[in-house]
Amino acid sequence: MSIANVPVSTLADMFGTPSYLLDIADLRERCRDVVAAATEAGEQHGIETSVYYASKAFSSTAVLRWAHAEGLRVDVASLGELVTALRADVPGHAIGLHGNNKSETEIDLALQHSVGRIVIDSLSEIDLVAERARAAGAVAPVMVRVTTGVHAGGHEYIATAHEDQKFGLSLATGAAAEAVTRILAAPELRLLGLHSHIGSQIFAADGFVEAARALLGLRSQVAASTGTLLEELDLGGGFGVAYTPDDEAPDVPALISELIATVARVAGETGEAAPALSFEPGRALVGPAMATLYRVGTVKPVRLEDGGERLYVSVDGGMSDNIRTVLYDATYTAALASRRSDAEPVLARVVGKHCESGDIVVRDVMLPADIHRGDLLAVPVTGAYGRSLASNYNQLPRPGVVAIGDGEPSEIVRRETIEDLLALDLG
Ligand code: LLP
């Protein structure tokens, strides 16, 4: 197997395993396609559009530079993500600050760099942001994150717009409308519009359309009661990707074009000018652009209760570099990457080296029966929430990220060493 024309065996020799391998051209093309689709559909319907890369999926200065160079803005949700975006020279106006529990430090730094928007997540945050803006002598551009009640997406932990969870202001209880009223009355705040993020790993348009209808309804209600027609709606991220050949993931640029056309039509029905629209994909941009490369160690056949057999293939990482299988029951696939094998495929499970039986990277996959110690195994689509959710469980150093341009590999995030871990240990 090669990535961007470099054999993975060369990459393993140069950078070690496990490593996350990023195909730069693939990432940039995904970014470019999404921006082009949004711009084109926007122009067609007279709607201004912008796309934010949700940097929680994977945050590094190199990736943010590439994303920004392709026309994306950057969504950050912590001080670390904000500082990384600034370090990548993303201008403040192209940054959006999220978070359900923003600190004063985060808000202050955001204001100092005149970020494009701060997304308000609670009523109490209205006073907090207004107070910090007053102290900074600034007017803060804000949006209101609305809980629309739409339930979409994969696992319960990544669905975010139903009522009983921590994000946003409820449309149903009137909290969102109250937030709008309070913000409009605050001279330190400028209300740009309404935001909705309904969840992650979503394959269909309906949830987004339902959320957009809800936001448009609130926008009309605000216009009727205050005379202010809000400029912008943000429909969030959550666009799904195919982790295995069984997943029928959407064509994300096409889905975004469709959403823009739908919002233009629905807004047209109200007789009001269509709002500007923004989106915040993370996974769909960086997920498929990376694979994790592991070295195979112990291979062990295990007899199953039904008399069958499963080959347990242990790799040199595991739940510390990919927690998604355990946390969300996520499915992945894997392939022998360092040689060709004509051995018959057998039912296998890729497991890590951690001290838990739940340490599973790929639950079910067919691998050649002759797979053995020293082989390289690649697990694709690990770019989103792989490195960013990684841990040091069992004192494992987190893998580095190697980015490959055509034939040119270089490490964009260095592999941790045990000395890095011990440097934090004060004895
Ligand atoms: N915008 C907001 C406000 C978000 O909260 C998120 C993700 C995104 C955009 C980007 O969503 P994406 O397009 O990447 O699905 N750790 C979980 C995903 C958590 C997503 C949190 N918020 C996972 O590994 O599936």
Side-chain angles (χ1 to χ4, degrees):
M1 183 182 292
S2 289
I3 294 192
N5 294 322
V6 183
V8 293
S9 48
T10 306
L11 296 168
D13 291 345
M14 289 174 75
F15 302 100
T17 55
S19 282
Y20 300 101
L21 307 178
L22 167 77
D23 182 329
I24 302 172
D26 183 274
L27 170 74
R28 295 192 68 148
E29 191 179 323
R30 285 173 202 281
C31 292
R32 197 178 312 142
D33 288 352
V34 163
V35 172
T39 310
E40 199 175 306
E43 278 166 6
Q44 214 175 327
H45 298 282
I47 287 183
E48 245 182 77
T49 60
S50 45
V51 187
Y52 289 73
Y53 167 58
S55 69
K56 69 204 78 191
F58 176 67
S59 170
S60 87
T61 54
V63 162
L64 297 185
R65 281 203 176 91
W66 290 319
H68 185 55
E70 296 297 348
L72 284 139
R73 301 180 186 199
V74 177
D75 151 24
V76 299
S78 71
L79 190 62
E81 288 177 4
L82 174 56
V83 171
T84 306
L86 294 170
R87 196 67 63 83
D89 296 321
V90 179
H93 69 80
I95 296 176
L97 177 65
H98 266 288
N100 67 301
N101 184 22
K102 301 176 191 72
S103 68
E104 278 91 339
T105 313
E106 287 163 347
I107 296 166
D108 289 351
L109 189 66
L111 291 171
Q112 191 187 320
H113 288 273
S114 306
V115 297
R117 63 199 202 183
I118 297 176
V119 182
I120 298 281
D121 203 88
S122 62
L123 290 175
S124 60
E125 201 171 75
I126 297 172
D127 298 333
L128 180 63
V129 175
E131 176 200 308
R132 303 317 302 170
R134 197 176 319 125
V139 173
V142 301
M143 295 187 98
V144 172
R145 176 151 173 183
V146 180
T147 308
T148 55
V150 177
H151 195 119
H155 195 275
E156 180 196 341
Y157 294 169
I158 55 177
T160 51
H162 49 298
E163 291 291 336
D164 190 4
Q165 50 80 35
K166 69 176 182 170
F167 293 109
L169 286 142
S170 166
L171 188 63
T173 66
E178 186 182 341
V180 168
T181 311
R182 287 206 210 168
I183 292 169
L184 288 174
E188 305 86 351
L189 305 178
R190 186 164 74 82
L191 183 58
L192 299 175
L194 307 171
H195 183 287
S196 151
H197 172 75
I198 53 175
S200 275
Q201 189 56 356
I202 300 166
F203 280 17
D206 5 341
F208 291 103
V209 170
E210 209 181 317
R213 281 184 185 279
L215 294 188
L216 285 167
L218 178 57
R219 180 173 180 256
S220 298
Q221 192 187 315
V222 170
S225 61
T226 68
T228 304
L229 188 62
L230 299 173
E231 295 159 40
E232 182 173 347
L233 302 184
D234 188 307
L235 298 184
F239 306 98
V241 302
Y243 284 100
T244 75
D246 295 337
D247 292 334
E248 284 174 28
D251 173 338
V252 175
L255 177 53
I256 286 181
S257 306
E258 180 189 338
L259 293 174
I260 293 169
T262 307
V263 169
R265 185 168 45 76
V266 176
E269 288 164 12
T270 67
E272 288 153 358
L277 273 185
S278 45
F279 301 89
E280 294 171 340
R283 184 190 319 264
L285 301 177
V286 79
M290 282 199 226
T292 310
L293 188 67
Y294 298 102
R295 181 78 69 183
V296 172
T298 303
V299 176
K300 185 193 285 183
V302 171
R303 177 63 57 85
L304 305 179
E305 271 170 17
D306 65 4
E309 202 175 84
R310 188 198 297 280
L311 199 59
Y312 273 74
V313 177
S314 300
V315 294
D316 49 357
M319 62 193 291
S320 55
D321 59 71
N322 187 351
I323 190 73
R324 297 194 69 261
T325 306
V326 193
L327 193 55
Y328 312 118
D329 265 331
T331 51
Y332 287 89
T333 186
L336 174 61
S338 45
R339 65 183 171 91
R340 220 174 257 287
S341 169
D342 293 324
E344 66 174 305
V346 294
L347 179 64
R349 175 163 291 172
V350 180
V351 296
K353 61 184 280 114
H354 294 281
C355 305
E356 304 203 14
S357 54
D359 173 24
I360 296 168
V361 178
V362 185
R363 200 171 293 279
D364 294 306
V365 61
M366 300 303 282
L367 288 173
D370 68 348
I371 191 159
H372 56 69
R373 173 175 285 274
D375 280 338
L376 291 172
L377 195 77
V379 174
V381 203
T382 55
Y385 312 103
R387 182 63 172 72
S388 70
L389 290 179
S391 76
N392 293 118
Y393 184 33
N394 290 130
Q395 285 289 65
L396 255 67
R398 288 175 299 172
V401 181
V402 178
I404 307 118
D406 192 19
E408 290 276 339
S410 67
E411 223 174 2
I412 57 167
V413 177
R414 172 172 70 72
R415 170 189 304 290
E416 276 176 347
T417 63
I418 291 170
E419 284 311 316
D420 286 329
L421 304 185
L422 286 174
L424 301 174
D425 184 327
L426 303 181

